[in-house]
Amino acid sequence: MLRAIERDLRGRYSQQYRIMRADSGSAALNTLKELKARNNPVALLLADQRMPTMDGVGFLAEAMDLHPEAKRALLTAYADTNAAIDAINEARIHYYLMKPWDPPEEKLFPALDDLLSDWKAQFRPPYEGIRVLGTRWSSRSYEIARFPGA
C-alpha cells in the first residue's frame, strides 16, 4: 500500500513538492527531525493508521511537535473510525481519508489539493537577507550594499 500511495502522490505532486516516504513511523520521525535541523519546511504529513512500530495517530501527534505548520491527514479503514476521532483530538489532524482511495482523482487528490492550497496560503519562508552581487570595483554595487536597512 505504501508504494501505491507513493506512486499516486508522485504522479500528481512531484512537480511542486518533494515526496518522501518512510517504512515506519519512527523512520519518518527521524526524517522530520533532519528536515527541521536543516530548516526545510514540511507542507503535508500523510500517515496510515496502521503502520509498523507506531500507529498513525501517535506519529502525527509527535510530528506536530516538530512541524506544527504542516497539514496533517490520516488514512483509515472503515473499522478505524475511532482512530480518526482520536486523531482529531490528539494530533489535531486536518483531514482523514478512508481506504481504499481509488480512484485518487475523486477520493484522495481533492482533499490533499485543499490542504496544500491552505498550507501555501499560510506559508511564509524565513527571511534570509539580501545579497548584493556586482563587480568588485563597481561604485554602484557599494552604494546599493550600504543602503540603509540593507
Side-chain angles (χ1 to χ4, degrees):
M1 185 164 64
L2 179 60
R3 289 189 182 156
I5 191 108
E6 180 185 22
R7 180 196 64 231
D8 288 344
L9 295 176
R10 284 190 192 282
R12 174 76 169 217
Y13 300 107
S14 64
Q15 294 294 321
Q16 294 178 306
Y17 298 95
R18 185 168 130 194
I19 310 297
M20 302 176 79
R21 75 169 183 161
D23 295 330
S24 69
S26 56
L29 287 171
N30 288 336
T31 299
L32 290 173
K33 288 174 187 171
E34 289 175 19
L35 291 170
K36 184 174 180 79
R38 294 181 188 150
N39 240 2
N40 288 338
V42 174
L44 175 70
L45 298 164
L46 178 61
D48 193 327
Q49 175 57 18
R50 298 182 185 213
M51 299 187 302
T53 70
M54 68 183 350
D55 63 21
V57 175
F59 164 74
L60 290 171
E62 286 190 47
M64 181 178 61
D65 292 337
L66 293 168
H67 294 277
E69 65 286 338
K71 298 298 179 182
R72 294 172 296 284
L74 182 71
L75 285 170
T76 62
Y78 183 75
D80 289 333
T81 52
N82 286 338
I85 293 167
D86 290 344
I88 292 167
N89 294 327
E90 293 175 32
R92 289 186 269 159
I93 65 164
H94 299 99
Y95 208 92
Y96 72 93
L97 302 147
M98 300 296 277
K99 295 184 281 187
W101 63 87
D102 282 331
E105 294 79 15
E106 292 175 20
K107 296 184 177 181
L108 178 67
F109 298 151
L112 298 184
D113 288 346
D114 285 346
L115 291 172
L116 290 168
S117 178
D118 287 348
W119 181 83
K120 270 193 216 177
Q122 297 170 355
F123 177 66
R124 298 292 174 255
Y127 176 73
E128 296 180 1
I130 297 172
R131 181 177 294 208
V132 177
L133 300 176
T135 60
R136 184 175 186 175
W137 304 110
S138 167
S139 62
R140 181 75 176 134
S141 295
Y142 283 98
E143 183 181 322
I144 292 170
R146 281 186 266 136
F147 184 79

